[in-house]
Amino acid sequence: MTTEIWQLSEAELLADVADVSHRIQLMEAHRIALVAEIDTRVAREKLGFPGPAGWLTSTTLLSPSKATKIVALARGLKNFPDIADAVNTGVMSVDHAALILTFAETPPKNLPQEGRDIARAAMIKAATGPGARTDRIREAITKLEDTYGGKKPPPEDTDRNELFASKTLNGRLALKGDFDAITGEKLLAALSPLTEPRPAADGTQDERSPALRRAEAFGHILDRYLASSNRPTEGGEKPHLNLHISLKDLTDLRGTAAGDSGSGSDENTGTAAESDSVSGSTGGGDADGCDSATGPTADRRAYRDLFGDGTTVGWLPWMGPLSRNTSRQLACDCLLTAIVMDENGSPINLARTARTVTAKQKRALTARDHGCAFPGCGKPAAWTEGHHIWHWTDGGPTDMNNLVLLCGFHHRLIHHSDWEVFIGTDNHPWFIPPATVDPYREPRQSHARAGPHIT
């Protein structure tokens, strides 16, 4: 008879947690070994991704960063059996292993081989057991890099520069950077005049924290950059903020300043009320959207789009869902571009006789696919290109029901493998895997459409 957790004694609770933690470490090591075999033996065409990291993310609960770390360990531990042994026996965490492996793969330039072996052994010992502390390992690495890292002192070594940008689970963006002295000086000099406290007109002190003032100053610098005319292009357009929002939410702004701001290029028409969706831009920003259902009701229909395409809230191509209130705030000063959508949230055909996808078609495809449509990929729309399902050279037109957004890898995969793509009755892309991936070749929904749907 299995003992319930609440029936365990205090000593049993402590022992069980320690035992489970050790077994988790062993399972982590086993997963790394399996991924190493996948990386060696399974072809990219069968994975459907450039490497195991993308496949892991699409088929497990792992985040992209965690999957990437596992693949890096799977590849690197083959060359360092001493680190691998500590991981495989469960005496060292995979995080500490990743830290030591990075040092072992890219040691200081002037550290001799004997010194590298001695340092690695010392780090493995320091990382072994519950008493291991990350700070001690980092301190040793820093000391070795400062002593043997070459002629450039750390403040001047641009090779050590790093900037990490990670989306958090609650939809925010966390930044972590490490810059050389000159780059750091540029950043602080740019932030300085924008971070000064600003007392109110009545003399009330500015209650913003220094961290908040720096964050707002950084956003102001980005605004100025996106508004400049000499910024580089990406995907045929200059980088700008894109927002997708439903027509219903935009028409709620009628009679306000936001409702009167839709002026601009020849695509910015006054026919939004006659269309199913509109898009707009201001200060380098676009807003695209599709008509959604009426307000919530007591029946289940009000919740059918709960896990849909993001058409019932604002949506940013890089960061994802955005509340209606903030969406309306952005829409108050924007240029509107109409993108007519059908009842399934798919842009109505914009036929073209030219081969290349126009800027307006790319925006419409982004409103439908959100990014690379291949199941499990979802790379940002800025990194994708329009793929002709019925090839242009075979007579396929450049219109919405013959186009799908794909990243470079999956564009090549579709062209050179047995993966197939078609536009379904819902006017969205569907993908058919080859028999080597799925013997039954069951169609799979595009990345943006995958997930639960309430019926």
Side-chain angles (χ1 to χ4, degrees):
M1 181 177 179
T2 303
T3 303
E4 297 291 341
I5 291 178
W6 64 269
Q7 295 176 307
L8 297 175
S9 66
E10 291 180 353
E12 289 172 329
L13 281 172
L14 296 174
D16 277 9
V17 169
D19 179 60
V20 168
S21 297
H22 179 66
R23 282 188 280 148
I24 288 174
Q25 293 293 337
L26 295 177
M27 291 299 292
E28 287 267 24
H30 186 58
R31 178 167 59 184
I32 291 170
L34 291 172
V35 170
E37 282 296 300
I38 290 174
D39 191 36
T40 302
R41 293 166 48 188
V42 182
R44 298 195 305 174
E45 290 74 16
K46 190 164 186 177
L47 287 175
F49 291 90
W55 176 83
L56 276 171
T57 303
S58 69
T59 55
T60 71
L61 299 179
L62 291 172
S63 66
S65 59
K66 180 68 173 177
T68 300
K69 179 182 288 187
I70 289 172
V71 173
L73 283 165
R75 292 171 176 171
L77 291 181
K78 297 176 181 179
N79 302 318
F80 298 95
D82 47 356
I83 305 176
D85 184 62
V87 173
N88 293 333
T89 55
V91 298
M92 183 168 64
S93 72
V94 293
D95 290 330
H96 283 154
L99 186 62
I100 298 172
L101 179 63
T102 300
F103 167 82
E105 291 181 326
T106 56
K109 300 174 184 177
N110 298 324
L111 181 63
Q113 184 61 53
E114 181 183 5
R116 297 176 188 182
D117 296 338
I118 294 172
R120 191 172 69 253
M123 290 179 196
I124 292 173
K125 185 175 181 180
T128 299
R133 295 293 180 268
T134 304
D135 288 344
R136 294 179 60 196
I137 304 168
R138 289 190 181 278
E139 181 183 2
I141 292 174
T142 300
K143 190 178 297 184
L144 288 167
E145 288 179 341
D146 288 348
T147 305
Y148 299 100
K151 296 181 180 180
K152 281 188 178 180
E156 301 170 23
D157 189 358
T158 56
D159 290 340
R160 296 172 59 169
N161 286 1
E162 293 178 321
L163 178 61
F164 299 95
S166 305
K167 282 177 60 178
T168 63
L169 291 177
N170 63 356
R172 295 179 63 82
L173 185 71
L175 296 178
K176 179 182 177 182
D178 181 9
F179 301 110
D180 65 279
I182 294 177
T183 303
E185 184 72 12
K186 291 177 184 177
L187 178 60
L188 294 177
L191 290 173
S192 180
L194 302 172
T195 55
E196 296 178 358
R198 296 196 301 269
D202 60 0
T204 304
Q205 292 294 322
D206 189 343
E207 297 183 353
R208 296 177 302 156
S209 67
L212 177 58
R213 296 202 304 269
R214 284 193 296 272
E216 292 183 351
F218 189 65
H220 188 63
I221 291 173
L222 294 179
D223 288 339
R224 291 187 178 183
Y225 166 72
L226 291 175
S228 67
S229 59
N230 59 350
R231 61 192 191 278
T233 62
E234 183 178 48
E237 290 190 297
K238 292 185 176 181
H240 53 276
L241 189 148
N242 289 275
L243 168 70
H244 298 245
I245 186 173
S246 70
L247 173 63
K248 176 183 181 298
D249 288 332
L250 280 183
T251 53
D252 284 345
L253 299 174
R254 239 176 239 287
T256 67
D260 298 329
S261 62
S263 61
S265 68
D266 59 355
E267 290 183 341
N268 304 320
T269 68
T271 62
E274 302 170 9
S275 307
D276 288 326
S277 81
V278 294
S279 81
S281 67
T282 179
D286 280 0
D288 304 319
C290 64
D291 190 14
S292 60
T294 56
T297 63
D299 61 37
R300 293 171 61 83
R301 288 176 298 176
Y303 307 100
R304 285 181 181 170
D305 283 335
L306 192 60
F307 298 96
D309 301 334
T311 56
T312 53
V313 293
W315 180 75
L316 299 169
W318 286 95
M319 293 298 295
L322 198 67
S323 71
R324 287 188 178 88
N325 285 341
T326 302
S327 299
R328 290 169 182 166
Q329 178 184 340
L330 291 175
C332 281
D333 183 23
C334 71
L335 305 177
L336 300 180
T337 302
I339 298 177
V340 183
M341 315 284 271
D342 62 19
E343 68 277 6
N344 294 308
S346 180
I348 290 177
N349 192 30
L350 303 174
R352 281 275 293 167
T353 56
R355 176 171 185 166
T356 56
V357 175
T358 67
K360 186 172 181 180
Q361 283 179 310
K362 181 66 179 288
R363 292 174 184 171
L365 285 169
T366 301
R368 184 192 71 189
D369 297 344
H370 292 188
C372 178
F374 191 89
C377 183
K379 279 190 171 58
W383 298 355
T384 64
E385 50 201 13
H387 164 70
H388 289 75
I389 298 173
W390 176 16
H391 299 324
W392 170 266
T393 54
D394 296 332
T398 305
D399 57 35
M400 296 303 298
N401 59 13
N402 192 47
L403 293 171
V404 58
L405 285 185
L406 295 173
C407 68
F409 174 81
H410 286 117
H411 199 170
R412 293 188 294 273
L413 181 70
I414 293 295
H415 275 284
H416 301 293
S417 74
D418 292 330
W419 278 90
E420 298 176 16
V421 59
F422 67 95
I423 300 297
T425 56
D426 59 356
N427 290 325
H428 285 269
W430 287 74
F431 293 79
I432 302 176
T436 54
V437 175
D438 176 9
Y440 301 101
R441 305 203 70 192
E442 290 287 340
R444 303 180 181 184
Q445 289 183 310
S446 62
H447 181 79
R449 299 281 287 177
H453 292 273
I454 297 175
T455 58

mmCIF file of all heavy atoms in Angstrom, residues 73 78 81 165 286 291 364 419:
data_model
loop_
_atom_site.group_PDB
_atom_site.id
_atom_site.type_symbol
_atom_site.label_atom_id
_atom_site.label_comp_id
_atom_site.label_asym_id
_atom_site.label_seq_id
_atom_site.Cartn_x
_atom_site.Cartn_y
_atom_site.Cartn_z
ATOM 1 N N LEU A 73 25.293 20.802 -23.959
ATOM 2 C CA LEU A 73 25.916 19.817 -23.081
ATOM 3 C C LEU A 73 26.100 18.477 -23.800
ATOM 4 O O LEU A 73 27.149 17.828 -23.672
ATOM 5 C CB LEU A 73 25.060 19.624 -21.833
ATOM 6 C CG LEU A 73 25.154 20.729 -20.777
ATOM 7 C CD1 LEU A 73 24.008 20.621 -19.786
ATOM 8 C CD2 LEU A 73 26.484 20.657 -20.045
ATOM 9 N N LYS A 78 31.009 15.135 -24.761
ATOM 10 C CA LYS A 78 31.751 14.060 -25.441
ATOM 11 C C LYS A 78 33.256 14.299 -25.389
ATOM 12 O O LYS A 78 34.043 13.351 -25.366
ATOM 13 C CB LYS A 78 31.313 13.967 -26.906
ATOM 14 C CG LYS A 78 29.858 13.606 -27.118
ATOM 15 C CD LYS A 78 29.535 13.638 -28.603
ATOM 16 C CE LYS A 78 28.079 13.318 -28.874
ATOM 17 N NZ LYS A 78 27.745 13.381 -30.326
ATOM 18 N N PRO A 81 35.356 13.906 -20.729
ATOM 19 C CA PRO A 81 34.795 12.793 -19.953
ATOM 20 C C PRO A 81 34.738 13.056 -18.457
ATOM 21 O O PRO A 81 33.880 12.510 -17.770
ATOM 22 C CB PRO A 81 35.755 11.633 -20.271
ATOM 23 C CG PRO A 81 36.490 12.037 -21.494
ATOM 24 C CD PRO A 81 36.518 13.516 -21.523
ATOM 25 N N ALA A 165 18.425 38.743 -24.015
ATOM 26 C CA ALA A 165 17.052 39.248 -23.994
ATOM 27 C C ALA A 165 16.122 38.046 -23.960
ATOM 28 O O ALA A 165 16.055 37.280 -24.922
ATOM 29 C CB ALA A 165 16.777 40.114 -25.229
ATOM 30 N N ASP A 286 2.960 49.832 -36.261
ATOM 31 C CA ASP A 286 1.848 49.359 -37.060
ATOM 32 C C ASP A 286 0.835 48.691 -36.168
ATOM 33 O O ASP A 286 1.189 48.095 -35.173
ATOM 34 C CB ASP A 286 2.297 48.319 -38.097
ATOM 35 C CG ASP A 286 2.907 48.979 -39.315
ATOM 36 O OD1 ASP A 286 2.967 50.216 -39.321
ATOM 37 O OD2 ASP A 286 3.312 48.247 -40.233
ATOM 38 N N ASP A 291 -11.685 41.414 -37.204
ATOM 39 C CA ASP A 291 -12.935 41.578 -36.507
ATOM 40 C C ASP A 291 -13.190 40.384 -35.612
ATOM 41 O O ASP A 291 -13.086 39.246 -36.015
ATOM 42 C CB ASP A 291 -14.064 41.706 -37.551
ATOM 43 C CG ASP A 291 -15.364 42.125 -36.896
ATOM 44 O OD1 ASP A 291 -15.290 42.566 -35.730
ATOM 45 O OD2 ASP A 291 -16.403 42.010 -37.555
ATOM 46 N N ALA A 364 -0.356 41.192 -43.948
ATOM 47 C CA ALA A 364 -1.539 40.332 -43.856
ATOM 48 C C ALA A 364 -1.144 38.913 -43.466
ATOM 49 O O ALA A 364 -1.816 38.272 -42.648
ATOM 50 C CB ALA A 364 -2.287 40.331 -45.192
ATOM 51 N N TRP A 419 7.691 16.799 -46.537
ATOM 52 C CA TRP A 419 6.701 17.606 -45.821
ATOM 53 C C TRP A 419 5.830 18.336 -46.849
ATOM 54 O O TRP A 419 6.331 18.785 -47.885
ATOM 55 C CB TRP A 419 7.387 18.626 -44.924
ATOM 56 C CG TRP A 419 7.841 18.093 -43.603
ATOM 57 C CD1 TRP A 419 9.046 17.532 -43.322
ATOM 58 C CD2 TRP A 419 7.093 18.077 -42.387
ATOM 59 N NE1 TRP A 419 9.112 17.161 -42.005
ATOM 60 C CE2 TRP A 419 7.925 17.481 -41.392
ATOM 61 C CE3 TRP A 419 5.814 18.498 -42.024
ATOM 62 C CZ2 TRP A 419 7.506 17.313 -40.078
ATOM 63 C CZ3 TRP A 419 5.401 18.332 -40.713
ATOM 64 C CH2 TRP A 419 6.237 17.739 -39.751
#
